Amino acid sequence: MFKLGLKSPPPSSSPHHLLPILLLSIIIINSTATATANGKGFKEAPQFYNSPSCPSISTQDMCSQQAVHVAMTLDFPYLRGTMAAIFSILQHSSCPENIRFHFISSPSSTHLHETITSSFPYLRSQIYSFDTNPVSGLISTSIRSALDSPLNYARNYLANILPPCVPKVVYLDSDLVLVDDIASLAATPLGTGTVLAAPEYCNANFTTYFTPTFWANPMLSLTFSGRNACYFNTGVMVIDLERWREGDYTTKIVEWMELQKRMRIYELGSLPPFLLVFAGNIAAVDHKWNQHGLGGDNFRGLCRNLHPGPVSLLHWSGKGKPWVRLDANRPCPLDALWAPYDLLRTPFALES
C-alpha cells in the first residue's frame, strides 16, 4: 500500500499545467470506484470468536435454532452501510460465530455477496435472490425515491425467501449499527400467537401515516378498531417466520398494496402495510433497540439528537446517511458514532 500526496503546481500563465493533476485525480477516483465495485474497496474486518459459554454449532449449519438469524437486504447504494452494520453486530456479540446472516438481493446484485465474504471471510452467511418483478407492479410512488426500491419490500416476503428451517429472524435495515449484543434482541419474547416484535412509539401521530381518503372510509378506518395501534419502525424487527407462514401474512400485506394501487390510502413506502396488518398486535421491544430518525426527515435529512435513554442500536433512518455526509465533509455530530465501523478504504490508499 502507498499513499499519494500531490504538491501545488508552480505558477503558470496557462491552465494546461493542471491537466496531469486532473487526469491523475480522475484515475484515483475511478480506481476507488472500481475497487469498491469488485470487492476490493473494503478492508478485511478482524475475526471475532465465541466466549466459552456459547453453544457449539457446526459452521455449515445455517438452520440451527441455537443460532441468531439475521436478515438484511444487499444492494450497491447501501453496501457500505451493510458492511458497517455487520461489523458492529459481530464486534458486540458474545457469540459472534453463532450468528447466521441471510442476505437478500436482486438477481443482478448477488455478486455483492463476494464483497461481504472478502471483508468477512469467516462469516456464516447465505445469499438469496429476490425476484423483484412481482412486487414492482405493486409499488406506489412515495415521498422519497429510495423508499420505492423493490428491494425495500423484501421484508414482506421473508417467510417465502428464507428456508423453512429458519424459525425466527431479526430483520435489520442497512443504515444502522449495534452497540449491544444482538442475542438480547433476538431473545425478545413474542408471547402466544404474536408474529413480530419491535419498539413501539405511541406518542407519534398515527393518523398521519394514512390519507384522508383512508380515514373518511369507515370500512377502512375500522381496520384499527379494538387495536391500540401505535407506530413502529420496520427497520428493526424480530419475526417468528413459522407463525408468519401459518397466518399467511405476506398475502395480507400484498392485499393492502393492491388496494393502494386502486385508491391512495397511504404515502410512505413499505411501512403502512405493516401498520395495517400488525399495529397494536406486536410484542414490545425496549426503545434502546431502535434509536431511529438519526438521518433526519425524508425531505432534508437534517441532524438530530438521540432520544433520551439508553442506546443499544443507532439507526440513521431518514434521508441523511452517515457515509454520504462524511464523504461530503458535512457530518452530523452523531455520524462520528458510525464512522468507527466504516470498512471502506480511504480514497488515497491504493493497491501497490
Side-chain angles (χ1 to χ4, degrees):
M1 304 290 290
F2 67 90
K3 293 185 178 180
L4 181 62
L6 297 177
K7 295 183 179 180
S8 299
S12 169
S13 59
S14 169
H16 295 301
H17 69 275
L18 297 175
L19 184 58
I21 296 174
L22 178 60
L23 291 174
L24 186 55
S25 299
I26 293 172
I27 291 171
I28 291 171
I29 293 169
N30 287 342
S31 297
T32 304
T34 302
T36 302
N38 66 19
K40 296 180 181 178
F42 294 94
K43 298 176 287 188
E44 183 174 324
Q47 186 170 358
F48 299 97
Y49 299 91
N50 281 353
S51 63
S53 60
C54 297
S56 178
I57 302 175
S58 168
T59 58
Q60 304 301 317
D61 188 355
M62 288 296 295
C63 294
S64 173
Q65 295 198 17
Q66 292 181 299
V68 172
H69 294 275
V70 178
M72 303 180 72
T73 57
L74 192 57
D75 62 346
F76 188 78
Y78 282 78
L79 179 60
R80 191 168 164 191
T82 303
M83 301 285 275
I86 297 168
F87 188 17
S88 71
I89 291 168
L90 296 173
Q91 182 170 324
H92 295 285
S93 173
S94 57
C95 301
E97 296 176 271
N98 291 356
I99 301 175
R100 300 294 183 265
F101 286 88
H102 303 267
F103 299 112
I104 301 106
S105 73
S106 63
S108 62
S109 299
T110 54
H111 65 281
L112 294 178
H113 191 228
E114 298 176 8
T115 306
I116 299 291
T117 54
S118 293
S119 286
F120 302 95
Y122 48 83
L123 199 70
R124 283 73 171 175
S125 64
Q126 181 70 43
I127 184 77
Y128 305 86
S129 178
F130 174 55
D131 182 5
T132 59
N133 288 326
V135 74
S136 295
L138 296 173
I139 297 174
S140 300
T141 304
S142 64
I143 59 176
R144 184 160 60 91
S145 60
L147 301 177
D148 300 336
S149 167
L151 200 58
N152 200 40
Y153 291 80
R155 71 195 82 191
N156 301 0
Y157 301 88
L158 285 178
N160 300 337
I161 298 171
L162 271 57
C165 61
V166 178
K168 186 169 73 170
V169 70
V170 178
Y171 176 83
L172 297 175
D173 277 350
S174 296
D175 53 356
L176 53 78
V177 294
L178 275 74
V179 292
D180 203 345
D181 194 337
I182 194 170
S184 299
L185 175 60
T188 301
L190 291 177
T192 304
T194 305
V195 177
L196 68 82
E200 291 182 291
Y201 303 90
C202 294
N203 291 330
N205 187 351
F206 190 80
T207 61
T208 61
Y209 293 97
F210 303 94
T211 64
T213 299
F214 174 87
W215 294 113
N217 187 322
M219 294 295 293
L220 298 178
S221 59
L222 284 174
T223 300
F224 297 111
S225 178
R227 292 160 57 180
N228 183 24
C230 297
Y231 160 74
F232 65 93
N233 182 280
T234 54
V236 179
M237 298 184 290
V238 181
I239 304 174
D240 187 315
L241 295 176
E242 293 178 340
R243 292 177 181 175
W244 183 294
R245 296 182 185 107
E246 290 171 0
D248 195 16
Y249 285 97
T250 294
T251 298
K252 292 181 171 71
I253 289 175
V254 167
E255 287 174 348
W256 282 112
M257 293 178 67
E258 290 173 342
L259 178 60
Q260 164 77 351
K261 295 295 288 186
R262 298 195 298 270
M263 54 186 298
R264 199 164 184 87
I265 59 174
Y266 56 79
E267 302 289 351
L268 192 63
S270 62
L271 169 65
F274 264 84
L275 297 179
L276 286 161
V277 174
F278 293 110
N281 292 321
I282 69 173
V285 175
D286 194 293
H287 288 181
K288 70 179 183 177
W289 283 108
N290 196 352
Q291 283 271 353
H292 68 293
L294 303 186
D297 60 24
N298 283 303
F299 298 99
R300 301 176 65 188
L302 299 178
C303 299
R304 287 187 177 175
N305 296 321
L306 287 173
H307 307 291
V311 178
S312 292
L313 185 151
L314 299 149
H315 187 186
W316 279 262
S317 58
K319 184 178 180 180
K321 303 306 174 188
W323 57 90
V324 175
R325 297 193 293 214
L326 287 164
D327 286 352
N329 203 26
R330 292 181 298 185
C332 292
L334 290 177
D335 295 345
L337 299 177
W338 180 89
Y341 303 100
D342 186 11
L343 291 176
L344 186 72
R345 289 176 179 156
T346 56
F348 295 103
L350 302 181
E351 294 284 352
S352 59

